[in-house]
Amino acid sequence: MRIAVIGTGYVGLVTGACFSEMGNDVYCVDADENKIESLKSGIIPIYEPGLSAMVAANAACGRLKFTTSLPEAIKDSELCFIAVGTPMDKDGGADLRYVLAVAKEIGQNIDKYLCVVDKSTVPVGTADKVRAAIRAELDRRGVSIEFDVASNPEFLKEGAAITDCMRPDRVVIGADSERAAELLRTVYEPYVRNTGNFLIMDIASAEMTKYAANAMLAAKISFMNEIAGICERVGADVNKVRLGIGSDSRIGYSFIYPGCGYGGSCFPKDVEALIKTAEHHGFSADLLKSVTSVNDRQKHVIGNKVKAKFGNDLIGRKFAVWGLAFKPDTDDMRESSAITIIRDLVEAGATVAAYDPKAADEAKNRYLKDLPNIDYCDSKYDTLRNSDAMILVTEWKEFRSPDFYEIKKRLKIPVIFDGRNQYDAKLLDKIGIEYHQIGVKR
């Protein structure tokens, strides 16, 4: 099948690569000429395990092409996936300008039937707006061309996106025509052959499913962080509480790890967008507001622990920070807890030595470029020299079993602040390292 994917960001590039991997002819479109030229040259703008090799292999055999021309991409295509960004608007809602701009251009150029699929994370009602934008351009041209608009929300986890795309837990389709539903069933059949988990529903429900899924996961994280705060004050150990409640099959262990807050491109933006959607329809999403406020507060917990140990004035202090990305196996720093933690330390007068296997350039060139007193190191142990403490922010695999004796030797003061509760408190106590966790009173 010939498929057009509009947008070569995280979702669009992964989706296009995985469609081509199954033998489809895919055109990936982006308005950024430099990005397209880089992709043609084999330069991938994001880090995602397995993506570079998949793009290279399918581009080499001609199944995956890159262009700045939407008309070229949709010519002879049966499906067109819109995968452009939907950043947070000024009021917290989803900014649909890029989605609707694509819809307008589609309306200006289609000359035969096309199924247009919203792959971007968009609020309920977006498919209607896309349909109206396409229809308006067709009316302006004075032509009548049949088309469908469907919803196919993505459920990709950064760091595991290729696996999620090739072997999805479920494929959710929102469609109001049998033709659109069958086209999407055909293209996704190889991906769900083993599970059969292909869910067709109305468009509004499909649009809502994505937001509801992310809001639920964010709520679990904030709930556990709230419990951690209580545990720390009453003398309970949140790590033991987590095991106690996770063993209940109704709750499970996923997304109930205490930590220094969630980040990324999805959870913060999508929870805010769902809150705004509710408000636009006269409903106050009070639980979701609390999820956000708990998470905002949680990002300051490590900074507060550091100040409780060393004082509010951190002038002359240096701290080693392990991890900058919002999660392992990505270079994405959007809404990362590391940004808040490092800002708290620097604004209190401290110097920071930071290391991340993939996200250092993102920090230097974008997210932390305006902050002084940050040194970026080439290894995790290099950050420890003359540092007063080590702070773990991102649970990369290489941080999980470090040489604690080496850490103790290199630090000025043997102290670890663990923002992800990764380490064995008894082991560190035996070695002689002062250990501060989330949700455990010292």
Side-chain angles (χ1 to χ4, degrees):
M1 187 179 294
R2 176 158 167 161
I3 299 169
V5 178
I6 315 302
T8 60
Y10 183 82
V11 173
L13 189 55
V14 171
T15 300
C18 289
F19 279 151
S20 66
E21 181 75 3
M22 284 297 188
N24 298 289
D25 292 317
V26 180
Y27 274 78
C28 285
V29 183
D30 203 287
D32 187 333
E33 292 184 9
N34 291 331
K35 181 186 283 189
I36 290 299
E37 289 305 313
S38 294
L39 287 167
K40 287 180 177 179
S41 301
I43 300 171
I44 308 301
I46 58 174
Y47 174 73
E48 178 64 35
L51 179 60
S52 182
M54 183 178 286
V55 169
N58 285 284
C61 66
R63 286 196 301 267
L64 182 60
K65 300 180 178 67
F66 301 101
T67 180
T68 57
S69 172
L70 184 146
E72 176 189 5
I74 65 173
K75 181 178 175 59
D76 299 328
S77 289
E78 298 172 83
L79 288 166
C80 177
F81 289 82
I82 300 178
V84 295
T86 53
M88 193 182 298
D89 210 342
K90 292 179 180 178
D91 68 350
D95 184 348
L96 297 177
R97 77 178 100 168
Y98 304 113
V99 171
L100 297 180
V102 170
K104 181 178 179 180
E105 191 173 358
I106 290 171
Q108 292 168 346
N109 289 282
I110 56 171
D111 56 10
K112 64 177 183 58
Y113 174 82
L114 183 67
C115 180
V116 179
V117 186
D118 288 331
K119 192 71 172 173
S120 303
T121 300
V122 293
V124 176
T126 299
D128 293 335
K129 294 179 181 179
V130 169
R131 183 181 288 108
I134 296 172
R135 179 64 62 198
E137 293 304 315
L138 292 176
D139 291 345
R140 193 169 285 112
R141 291 167 57 192
V143 297
S144 178
I145 299 172
E146 186 181 359
F147 69 94
D148 282 311
V149 177
S151 174
N152 171 218
E154 55 86 12
F155 299 98
L156 306 179
K157 298 186 295 292
E158 292 193 41
I162 297 297
T163 299
D164 289 342
C165 198
M166 298 300 290
R167 295 191 292 276
D169 293 329
R170 77 288 203 195
V171 172
V172 173
I173 301 297
D176 55 11
S177 86
E178 187 61 30
R179 184 174 186 179
E182 283 307 307
L183 270 175
L184 288 162
R185 189 192 302 275
T186 298
V187 78
Y188 275 115
E189 193 277 334
Y191 301 89
V192 297
R193 185 169 293 164
N194 292 331
T195 65
N197 210 356
F198 184 84
L199 307 175
I200 298 180
M201 59 187 71
D202 61 277
I203 292 175
S205 296
E207 291 172 329
M208 186 66 180
T209 296
K210 169 65 175 181
Y211 280 108
N214 280 350
M216 171 63 82
L217 297 175
K220 291 185 74 173
I221 294 170
S222 281
F223 171 81
M224 206 62 208
N225 283 332
E226 187 95 304
I227 294 299
I230 298 172
C231 285
E232 197 161 331
R233 286 155 180 80
V234 302
D237 184 334
V238 72
N239 301 303
K240 296 174 181 176
V241 173
R242 179 184 66 81
L243 295 173
I245 66 173
S247 57
D248 186 327
S249 61
R250 296 170 301 175
I251 297 172
Y253 295 104
S254 297
F255 286 85
I256 61 167
Y257 288 83
C260 51
Y262 60 76
S265 63
C266 295
F267 288 5
K269 175 175 67 73
D270 293 353
V271 173
E272 285 292 341
L274 190 51
I275 290 169
K276 288 301 176 184
T277 296
E279 289 179 356
H280 291 160
H281 290 80
F283 183 77
S284 179
D286 295 337
L287 175 59
L288 298 183
K289 292 176 184 177
S290 295
V291 168
T292 296
S293 64
V294 168
N295 190 60
D296 290 343
R297 181 182 66 197
Q298 198 68 18
K299 290 182 178 183
H300 294 281
V301 166
I302 289 295
N304 292 337
K305 285 179 177 290
V306 171
K307 291 174 184 177
K309 167 69 178 176
F310 294 102
N312 291 328
D313 184 352
L314 299 178
I315 293 174
R317 298 286 185 181
K318 178 183 175 184
F319 298 97
V321 173
W322 287 12
L324 296 167
F326 86 94
K327 63 179 288 188
D329 296 319
T330 181
D331 60 354
D332 193 345
M333 280 190 65
R334 283 175 287 185
E335 303 289 336
S336 172
S337 299
I339 299 171
T340 302
I341 292 168
I342 292 174
R343 188 173 297 277
D344 284 349
L345 298 175
V346 170
E347 289 179 352
T351 296
V352 169
Y355 168 73
D356 187 283
K358 295 295 179 181
D361 286 342
E362 286 290 294
K364 283 188 285 190
N365 300 327
R366 186 174 181 184
Y367 292 98
L368 298 174
K369 66 178 182 178
D370 297 326
L371 276 183
N373 302 324
I374 304 175
D375 295 321
Y376 296 95
C377 300
D378 294 328
S379 78
K380 58 182 182 285
Y381 294 121
D382 287 346
T383 65
L384 303 174
R385 180 180 297 176
N386 295 321
S387 290
D388 292 282
M390 186 271 272
I391 300 168
L392 177 69
V393 181
T394 313
E395 61 274 37
W396 286 91
K397 288 180 181 177
E398 70 170 274
F399 299 159
R400 292 184 182 177
S401 298
D403 185 336
F404 291 112
Y405 291 99
E406 185 69 18
I407 292 173
K408 181 181 179 182
K409 182 175 74 175
R410 293 195 181 207
L411 285 172
K412 284 170 59 178
I413 307 171
V415 180
I416 292 177
F417 294 92
D418 187 347
R420 300 298 175 186
N421 288 19
Q422 291 287 295
Y423 301 140
D424 184 334
K426 291 183 178 179
L427 173 62
L428 293 184
D429 183 62
K430 182 179 179 181
I431 293 172
I433 295 177
E434 185 178 316
Y435 184 47
H436 297 261
Q437 303 179 70
I438 304 288
V440 180
K441 185 177 182 180
R442 274 200 59 85

